[in-house]
Amino acid sequence: MSQMPRNAPPASRPVRRALLGVAASLVSAASLVTHPALAVAATASPAMSPSSSPFAPPPVRDEDRVGPGDHLVVRVEHAGEGRDGMYEVYCNPVGGDHPDLAGACRAVERNTRWGSEPFAPVADGSVCTMQYGGPATAHVTGTWAGRPVEATFGRGNGCEIGRWDRFVPLLPDLSGGAAPGARTA
């Protein structure tokens, strides 16, 4: 711990102690997020309920719900024959006309993190490789985890390609494999 400068006014010492206490509390709270067992124990105590945690998302509103389960509509264009089209995906329970319903639901679930938007675009200012993944685009709309979804995907640079690939098989695999249902020799 660093020392207060000798010429620091005496009134600043209590303020510094208070700030250090707040910082220690934030570090402790952040460590709970990385240790799920501790997070469960902490949220089970009356002192820290999930709704009072600064890391918890706001509660789901009734007007955001669209019937039972999660519903997504995926429109893929310029991905190639056997990959382009419009698909409906229902998760929890699984249903729809997507060629890999269970895989599509798993893809979205593995990208869902508490307190973050799974369909968020690549962050502004991201450093991305200058590679082109082709003209394919996808548009995903609907509801996931009780929240509205409106997301656009492309393959214009390394970050966008990586974002697309994280959602395979909700989005078609364009990494060089054959199209679903396509015949191979």
Side-chain angles (χ1 to χ4, degrees):
M1 187 155 143
S2 64
Q3 298 290 325
M4 290 288 295
R6 291 186 151 200
N7 58 356
S12 67
R13 290 181 183 143
V15 171
R16 181 177 176 160
R17 273 190 224 113
L19 290 175
L20 287 174
V22 169
S25 297
L26 290 174
V27 169
S28 295
S31 68
L32 290 175
V33 173
T34 60
H35 299 289
L38 295 176
V40 169
T43 58
S45 73
M48 184 178 174
S49 70
S51 61
S52 67
S53 169
F55 302 108
V60 176
R61 301 176 308 185
D62 287 337
E63 60 266 24
D64 289 339
R65 296 185 187 275
V66 183
D70 301 303
H71 175 238
L72 299 172
V73 176
V74 181
R75 187 180 75 232
V76 179
E77 296 178 333
H78 311 293
E81 190 174 330
R83 293 181 173 122
D84 288 350
M86 186 176 300
Y87 308 100
E88 280 195 272
V89 177
Y90 290 89
C91 301
N92 307 314
V94 174
D97 60 2
H98 190 280
D100 183 359
L101 288 168
C105 291
R106 279 193 309 271
V108 180
E109 287 169 0
R110 77 171 170 256
N111 283 287
T112 301
R113 302 286 182 269
W114 189 258
S116 68
E117 172 57 47
F119 294 97
V122 172
D124 289 339
S126 295
V127 178
C128 305
T129 58
M130 294 183 64
Q131 66 189 96
Y132 180 65
T137 60
H139 190 80
V140 180
T141 58
T143 304
W144 180 257
R147 306 240 182 256
V149 173
E150 178 84 28
T152 302
F153 291 81
R155 296 180 59 83
N157 62 45
C159 295
E160 292 291 335
I161 293 168
R163 179 173 173 249
W164 179 294
D165 289 348
R166 282 191 300 276
F167 281 92
V168 169
L170 176 71
L171 303 179
D173 185 358
L174 301 179
S175 62
R183 296 178 64 175
T184 57

